[in-house]
């Protein structure tokens, strides 16, 4: 059965080149405001995916993302932000983009059309049934993503997806599909816009919720974050001050002694 691809349907706006800059910005913003509502509708789907990720990661499993183009880049960005934010070692959340890391900066021709390559890429990380694989594809029909999910299911690996069309091939290969239908893009077919925003929102929700459930947050603070620059060290000191009610100088001393917010706080409790 053919399913209409809303991500490819014609924009609700026309004659864009005749709009003023203000009109362009206001109309893009008007469309962007619809995205959080589309995400809200699928919170139960996101919840189901988060639950299985937590279940697999608690005993040592990993979370993998695969995608092409904008979708792949969003997965790589999300994965790369987990270690500094939550103190999780590199390799616990892994983002893979069709065409390899060079595709992060420059499109690699036809990379997304290879249905076999995703599984080859995943095997380099020894993916197993302990892990979870999430395919990211606005259209829901990217061969690279479909092939990876199909192979993963054959190996009893839990699969999920983030797509922006309903009833897609990617969703059919996912045990836990997340289908955020945002409707036509302002610029017809430009899925880096509303679709990309929806995917980013979902990724933020998924990994933040997972990391909280895995114990990497206390109260509302990132107590396991890596202290990789001066700004983050200052933030860590403020966390310790707020948590323990001690002077800044004492908090700085504790942070130097223990090397992390968690250890500094625990040393005084």
């Amino acid at each position: 059965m053919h399913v209409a691809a809303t991500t490819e349907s014609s924009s609700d706006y026309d004659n864009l080149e005749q709009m003023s800059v203000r009109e362009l910005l206001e109309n893009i913003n008007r469309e962007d405001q619809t995205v959080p509502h589309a995400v809200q509708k699928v919170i139960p789907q996101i919840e189901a995916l988060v639950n299985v990720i937590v279940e697999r990661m608690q005993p040592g499993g990993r979370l993998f993302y695969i995608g092409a183009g904008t979708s792949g880049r969003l997965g790589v960005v999300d994965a790369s932000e987990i270690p500094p934010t939550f103190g999780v070692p590199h390799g616990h959340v892994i983002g893979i983009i069709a065409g390899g890391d060079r595709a992060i900066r420059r499109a690699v021709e036809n990379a997304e059309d290879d249905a076999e390559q995703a599984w080859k890429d995943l095997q380099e990380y020894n993916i197993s049934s302990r892990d979870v694989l999430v395919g990211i594809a606005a259209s829901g029909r990217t061969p690279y993503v479909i092939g990876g999910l199909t192979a993963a299911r054959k190996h009893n690996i839990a699969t999920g997806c983030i797509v922006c069309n309903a009833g897609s091939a990617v969703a059919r290969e996912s045990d836990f599909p997340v289908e955020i239908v945002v409707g036509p893009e302002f610029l017809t077919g430009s899925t880096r816009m509303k679709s990309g925003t929806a995917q980013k929102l979902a990724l933020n929700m998924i990994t933040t919720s997972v990391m909280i459930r895995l114990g990497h947050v206390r109260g509302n603070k990132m107590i396991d974050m890596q202290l990789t620059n001066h700004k983050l060290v200052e933030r860590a000191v403020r966390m310790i001050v707020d948590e323990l009610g001690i002077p800044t100088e004492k908090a700085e001393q504790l942070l130097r002694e223990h090397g992390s917010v968690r250890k500094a706080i625990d040393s005084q409790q």
Side-chain angles (χ1 to χ4, degrees):
M1 182 182 72
H2 175 71
V3 178
T6 58
T7 55
E8 299 297 324
S9 53
S10 183
S11 172
D12 292 332
Y13 303 81
D14 203 354
N15 302 311
L16 306 188
E17 71 278 12
Q18 296 176 20
M19 293 182 185
S20 67
V21 170
R22 175 60 67 87
E23 288 173 323
L24 288 168
L25 297 175
E26 289 182 344
N27 288 331
I28 292 170
N29 178 250
R30 185 175 295 113
E31 285 301 302
D32 286 345
Q33 290 179 46
T34 67
V35 176
H37 299 291
V39 174
Q40 184 181 32
K41 291 177 182 177
V42 299
I43 284 177
Q45 293 182 0
I46 300 173
E47 178 186 19
L49 180 54
V50 167
N51 283 336
V52 75
I53 294 170
V54 171
E55 178 186 298
R56 297 297 170 91
M57 290 192 76
Q58 271 178 333
R62 297 166 295 172
L63 170 60
F64 287 84
Y65 298 130
I66 53 171
T70 297
S71 297
R73 294 183 190 101
L74 289 169
V76 170
V77 166
D78 192 71
S80 68
E81 290 173 346
I82 302 309
T85 306
F86 299 106
V88 175
H90 287 278
H92 282 218
V93 181
I94 298 166
I96 300 173
I97 183 171
D101 284 356
R102 65 192 176 113
I104 295 170
R105 293 183 179 274
R106 182 175 296 182
V108 176
E109 191 172 356
N110 299 325
E112 71 172 60
D113 296 329
D114 188 339
E116 309 296 325
Q117 187 60 45
W119 183 244
K120 294 175 186 175
D121 293 342
L122 289 162
Q123 284 181 297
E124 292 184 16
Y125 295 89
N126 297 312
I127 190 170
S128 75
S129 58
R130 301 174 63 206
D131 304 319
V132 180
L133 175 62
V134 176
I136 311 171
S139 67
R141 61 171 187 249
T142 307
Y144 179 86
V145 176
I146 296 168
L149 292 170
T150 301
R153 293 182 94 182
K154 290 177 181 175
H155 289 81
N156 298 313
I157 297 166
T159 58
C161 70
I162 305 172
V163 296
C164 296
N165 283 321
S168 69
V170 166
R172 286 194 293 273
E173 293 300 329
S174 301
D175 304 313
F176 301 93
V178 176
E179 300 172 288
I180 312 170
V181 182
V182 295
E185 297 287 359
F186 174 76
L187 179 62
T188 298
S190 182
T191 52
R192 71 186 185 87
M193 301 186 77
K194 287 195 301 182
S195 296
T197 300
Q199 291 171 327
K200 178 70 168 97
L201 289 175
L203 288 165
N204 285 350
M205 293 167 77
I206 290 165
T207 43
T208 302
S209 298
V210 166
M211 292 298 141
I212 291 170
R213 298 299 293 173
L214 291 177
H216 295 292
V217 170
R218 185 175 297 172
N220 57 16
K221 295 179 174 64
M222 300 177 287
I223 61 168
D224 288 334
M225 71 176 187
Q226 295 177 354
L227 308 178
T228 53
N229 59 50
H230 186 66
K231 176 191 73 176
L232 295 178
V233 171
E234 288 184 341
R235 181 184 297 166
V237 170
R238 288 197 302 273
M239 286 185 197
I240 297 167
V241 168
D242 291 346
E243 188 72 19
L244 298 178
I246 60 176
T248 299
E249 295 76 14
K250 176 64 174 175
E252 290 173 344
Q253 178 189 338
L254 288 172
L255 189 61
R256 282 195 301 271
E257 288 177 5
H258 298 281
S260 81
V261 176
R262 179 189 292 274
K263 290 177 182 176
I265 291 171
D266 288 349
S267 73
Q268 301 298 300
Q269 293 178 337

